[in-house]
Each structure stands twice: as structure tokens, then as C-alpha cells.
Amino acid sequence: VQLVESGGGSVQAGGSLRLSCAVSGFTSDDYAIGWFRQAPGKEREGVACIGKSHGNTFYADSVKGRFTMSGDNAENTVYLQMNSLGPEDTGVYYCAAAIAPPPRVTPSFFAPSDYWGQGTQVTVSS
């Protein structure tokens, strides 16, 4: 299994970015994809996640209404559309994959031993 993120960059507050996570190696749809971020000096935070087969999404309160996860099944890519960005959204964003998720997966389901991408930097200036 391989996850490759892209789409990070620098934007001004109020701007938008779309992150991509290219997923490969799974032989079934029984997995979930999560987006996490880590700001300097802070713990990793679960931002959003979705179950591939169930389709249920979860958003952290800090991003609800601003971030949207979506997927392109043909391209095996998961996106994180981020709007109304603020400096508090700055950090390294990672996508992760975990097998056999519950119907309503949350970020706590993902473990360090699951599959993780290399991360992409998002910097929002005020």
C-alpha cells in the first residue's frame, strides 16, 4: 500500500487549497482514508476521514464547514478541499489508510502502524 500526498503550498488567509492523496495497493474497498495535520510544536490532529465502502465522512469541529473530503474512484485519489484557510491551519498534512474501519470511522481509528503518506506542507499567512 502506498499513499502519496500533493497539493500543499502557501496561501494567504481566506484562500483555498486542494490536497490530493493518491492511493495504491489495496485489493478491496474495506479501508478508510484520513487526513491529519501537525503544526510545529503540536500533536498530530485528525482533520477528516472517510470510509471507502461506507462513504461516511467525519470532520473535526475546527474544519467543519470549511474542509471537504471527496474521492475519485477512477483515479484512486482522495481529495481534501480546504476553503477559508487561516493561520491556524498551517502544518504538515498527512493522509493515512486503515483497514476494516467501522461504519462511522473517526480519526482515533487510525494508528501509527497503519499506512501513512510522507506529508505535504500547508502554510497560511495572515
PDB file of all heavy atoms in Angstrom, residues 6 13 18 21 23 32 36 41 55 58 60 94 104-105 112 115:
ATOM      1  N   SER A   6      -0.097  15.387  -2.316  1.00  0.00           N
ATOM      2  CA  SER A   6       0.364  16.527  -3.098  1.00  0.00           C
ATOM      3  C   SER A   6      -0.633  17.657  -2.928  1.00  0.00           C
ATOM      4  O   SER A   6      -1.731  17.453  -2.402  1.00  0.00           O
ATOM      5  CB  SER A   6       0.521  16.149  -4.580  1.00  0.00           C
ATOM      6  OG  SER A   6      -0.721  15.745  -5.119  1.00  0.00           O
ATOM      7  N   ALA A  13      -4.435  34.093   4.196  1.00  0.00           N
ATOM      8  CA  ALA A  13      -5.661  33.811   4.940  1.00  0.00           C
ATOM      9  C   ALA A  13      -6.878  34.104   4.072  1.00  0.00           C
ATOM     10  O   ALA A  13      -6.914  35.107   3.353  1.00  0.00           O
ATOM     11  CB  ALA A  13      -5.706  34.637   6.217  1.00  0.00           C
ATOM     12  N   ARG A  18      -6.331  22.586  -2.435  1.00  0.00           N
ATOM     13  CA  ARG A  18      -6.868  21.235  -2.531  1.00  0.00           C
ATOM     14  C   ARG A  18      -5.711  20.257  -2.444  1.00  0.00           C
ATOM     15  O   ARG A  18      -4.796  20.285  -3.280  1.00  0.00           O
ATOM     16  CB  ARG A  18      -7.648  21.014  -3.821  1.00  0.00           C
ATOM     17  CG  ARG A  18      -8.373  19.666  -3.819  1.00  0.00           C
ATOM     18  CD  ARG A  18      -9.203  19.448  -5.063  1.00  0.00           C
ATOM     19  NE  ARG A  18      -8.401  19.073  -6.212  1.00  0.00           N
ATOM     20  CZ  ARG A  18      -8.876  18.476  -7.297  1.00  0.00           C
ATOM     21  NH1 ARG A  18     -10.166  18.167  -7.372  1.00  0.00           N
ATOM     22  NH2 ARG A  18      -8.071  18.183  -8.305  1.00  0.00           N
ATOM     23  N   CYS A  21      -4.452  12.806  -2.324  1.00  0.00           N
ATOM     24  CA  CYS A  21      -3.808  11.615  -1.767  1.00  0.00           C
ATOM     25  C   CYS A  21      -4.032  10.477  -2.752  1.00  0.00           C
ATOM     26  O   CYS A  21      -5.156   9.985  -2.877  1.00  0.00           O
ATOM     27  CB  CYS A  21      -4.382  11.282  -0.399  1.00  0.00           C
ATOM     28  SG  CYS A  21      -3.726   9.751   0.334  1.00  0.00           S
ATOM     29  N   VAL A  23      -3.838   6.814  -3.764  1.00  0.00           N
ATOM     30  CA  VAL A  23      -3.844   5.563  -3.003  1.00  0.00           C
ATOM     31  C   VAL A  23      -3.616   4.399  -3.950  1.00  0.00           C
ATOM     32  O   VAL A  23      -4.268   4.297  -4.992  1.00  0.00           O
ATOM     33  CB  VAL A  23      -5.191   5.388  -2.279  1.00  0.00           C
ATOM     34  CG1 VAL A  23      -5.187   4.113  -1.436  1.00  0.00           C
ATOM     35  CG2 VAL A  23      -5.501   6.603  -1.419  1.00  0.00           C
ATOM     36  N   ALA A  32     -10.357   2.816   5.176  1.00  0.00           N
ATOM     37  CA  ALA A  32     -10.719   4.220   5.356  1.00  0.00           C
ATOM     38  C   ALA A  32      -9.495   5.083   5.086  1.00  0.00           C
ATOM     39  O   ALA A  32      -8.356   4.650   5.261  1.00  0.00           O
ATOM     40  CB  ALA A  32     -11.216   4.462   6.777  1.00  0.00           C
ATOM     41  N   PHE A  36      -4.767  14.093   8.344  1.00  0.00           N
ATOM     42  CA  PHE A  36      -4.265  14.553   9.621  1.00  0.00           C
ATOM     43  C   PHE A  36      -3.326  15.732   9.375  1.00  0.00           C
ATOM     44  O   PHE A  36      -2.798  15.896   8.271  1.00  0.00           O
ATOM     45  CB  PHE A  36      -3.491  13.432  10.328  1.00  0.00           C
ATOM     46  CG  PHE A  36      -4.353  12.254  10.703  1.00  0.00           C
ATOM     47  CD1 PHE A  36      -4.746  11.338   9.745  1.00  0.00           C
ATOM     48  CD2 PHE A  36      -4.770  12.070  12.005  1.00  0.00           C
ATOM     49  CE1 PHE A  36      -5.558  10.253  10.065  1.00  0.00           C
ATOM     50  CE2 PHE A  36      -5.581  10.995  12.347  1.00  0.00           C
ATOM     51  CZ  PHE A  36      -5.969  10.097  11.375  1.00  0.00           C
ATOM     52  N   GLY A  41       5.345  22.020  17.052  1.00  0.00           N
ATOM     53  CA  GLY A  41       5.183  22.011  18.496  1.00  0.00           C
ATOM     54  C   GLY A  41       3.865  21.477  19.001  1.00  0.00           C
ATOM     55  O   GLY A  41       3.593  21.528  20.198  1.00  0.00           O
ATOM     56  N   GLY A  55     -18.683   5.177   2.902  1.00  0.00           N
ATOM     57  CA  GLY A  55     -18.870   6.531   2.398  1.00  0.00           C
ATOM     58  C   GLY A  55     -19.168   7.572   3.447  1.00  0.00           C
ATOM     59  O   GLY A  55     -19.391   8.742   3.121  1.00  0.00           O
ATOM     60  N   PHE A  58     -16.226  12.118   8.346  1.00  0.00           N
ATOM     61  CA  PHE A  58     -16.078  12.763   9.648  1.00  0.00           C
ATOM     62  C   PHE A  58     -15.228  14.003   9.456  1.00  0.00           C
ATOM     63  O   PHE A  58     -14.246  13.980   8.719  1.00  0.00           O
ATOM     64  CB  PHE A  58     -15.389  11.817  10.636  1.00  0.00           C
ATOM     65  CG  PHE A  58     -14.950  12.499  11.909  1.00  0.00           C
ATOM     66  CD1 PHE A  58     -15.770  12.533  13.017  1.00  0.00           C
ATOM     67  CD2 PHE A  58     -13.715  13.132  11.983  1.00  0.00           C
ATOM     68  CE1 PHE A  58     -15.374  13.176  14.187  1.00  0.00           C
ATOM     69  CE2 PHE A  58     -13.301  13.773  13.142  1.00  0.00           C
ATOM     70  CZ  PHE A  58     -14.137  13.796  14.241  1.00  0.00           C
ATOM     71  N   ALA A  60     -13.397  17.189  11.831  1.00  0.00           N
ATOM     72  CA  ALA A  60     -13.140  17.809  13.127  1.00  0.00           C
ATOM     73  C   ALA A  60     -13.885  19.134  13.207  1.00  0.00           C
ATOM     74  O   ALA A  60     -14.103  19.806  12.187  1.00  0.00           O
ATOM     75  CB  ALA A  60     -11.641  18.031  13.303  1.00  0.00           C
ATOM     76  N   TYR A  94      -1.007  15.028   6.386  1.00  0.00           N
ATOM     77  CA  TYR A  94      -0.744  13.642   6.035  1.00  0.00           C
ATOM     78  C   TYR A  94      -2.061  12.945   5.697  1.00  0.00           C
ATOM     79  O   TYR A  94      -3.085  13.200   6.332  1.00  0.00           O
ATOM     80  CB  TYR A  94      -0.120  12.884   7.209  1.00  0.00           C
ATOM     81  CG  TYR A  94       1.169  13.442   7.724  1.00  0.00           C
ATOM     82  CD1 TYR A  94       1.186  14.426   8.711  1.00  0.00           C
ATOM     83  CD2 TYR A  94       2.399  12.973   7.246  1.00  0.00           C
ATOM     84  CE1 TYR A  94       2.376  14.934   9.193  1.00  0.00           C
ATOM     85  CE2 TYR A  94       3.593  13.477   7.739  1.00  0.00           C
ATOM     86  CZ  TYR A  94       3.573  14.453   8.706  1.00  0.00           C
ATOM     87  OH  TYR A  94       4.754  14.954   9.190  1.00  0.00           O
ATOM     88  N   ARG A 104     -18.850   4.238  10.898  1.00  0.00           N
ATOM     89  CA  ARG A 104     -18.610   5.671  11.090  1.00  0.00           C
ATOM     90  C   ARG A 104     -17.208   5.848  11.655  1.00  0.00           C
ATOM     91  O   ARG A 104     -17.011   5.970  12.856  1.00  0.00           O
ATOM     92  CB  ARG A 104     -19.673   6.274  12.011  1.00  0.00           C
ATOM     93  CG  ARG A 104     -21.059   6.242  11.369  1.00  0.00           C
ATOM     94  CD  ARG A 104     -22.043   7.163  12.046  1.00  0.00           C
ATOM     95  NE  ARG A 104     -23.315   7.180  11.326  1.00  0.00           N
ATOM     96  CZ  ARG A 104     -23.563   7.959  10.275  1.00  0.00           C
ATOM     97  NH1 ARG A 104     -22.635   8.765   9.820  1.00  0.00           N
ATOM     98  NH2 ARG A 104     -24.737   7.914   9.674  1.00  0.00           N
ATOM     99  N   VAL A 105     -16.255   5.871  10.774  1.00  0.00           N
ATOM    100  CA  VAL A 105     -14.862   5.947  11.190  1.00  0.00           C
ATOM    101  C   VAL A 105     -14.534   7.350  11.686  1.00  0.00           C
ATOM    102  O   VAL A 105     -15.037   8.354  11.161  1.00  0.00           O
ATOM    103  CB  VAL A 105     -13.935   5.536  10.022  1.00  0.00           C
ATOM    104  CG1 VAL A 105     -14.074   6.482   8.852  1.00  0.00           C
ATOM    105  CG2 VAL A 105     -12.503   5.413  10.482  1.00  0.00           C
ATOM    106  N   PRO A 112      -0.455   4.656  14.403  1.00  0.00           N
ATOM    107  CA  PRO A 112       0.854   4.889  13.768  1.00  0.00           C
ATOM    108  C   PRO A 112       1.315   3.718  12.900  1.00  0.00           C
ATOM    109  O   PRO A 112       2.101   3.908  11.968  1.00  0.00           O
ATOM    110  CB  PRO A 112       1.778   5.095  14.970  1.00  0.00           C
ATOM    111  CG  PRO A 112       0.881   5.610  16.046  1.00  0.00           C
ATOM    112  CD  PRO A 112      -0.425   4.892  15.843  1.00  0.00           C
ATOM    113  N   TYR A 115      -1.076   2.786   7.393  1.00  0.00           N
ATOM    114  CA  TYR A 115      -0.351   3.318   6.236  1.00  0.00           C
ATOM    115  C   TYR A 115      -0.418   4.842   6.237  1.00  0.00           C
ATOM    116  O   TYR A 115      -1.497   5.420   6.365  1.00  0.00           O
ATOM    117  CB  TYR A 115      -0.949   2.754   4.952  1.00  0.00           C
ATOM    118  CG  TYR A 115      -0.993   1.244   4.915  1.00  0.00           C
ATOM    119  CD1 TYR A 115      -2.170   0.558   5.179  1.00  0.00           C
ATOM    120  CD2 TYR A 115       0.153   0.507   4.638  1.00  0.00           C
ATOM    121  CE1 TYR A 115      -2.219  -0.829   5.156  1.00  0.00           C
ATOM    122  CE2 TYR A 115       0.111  -0.887   4.601  1.00  0.00           C
ATOM    123  CZ  TYR A 115      -1.069  -1.534   4.867  1.00  0.00           C
ATOM    124  OH  TYR A 115      -1.102  -2.910   4.840  1.00  0.00           O
TER     125      TYR A 115
END
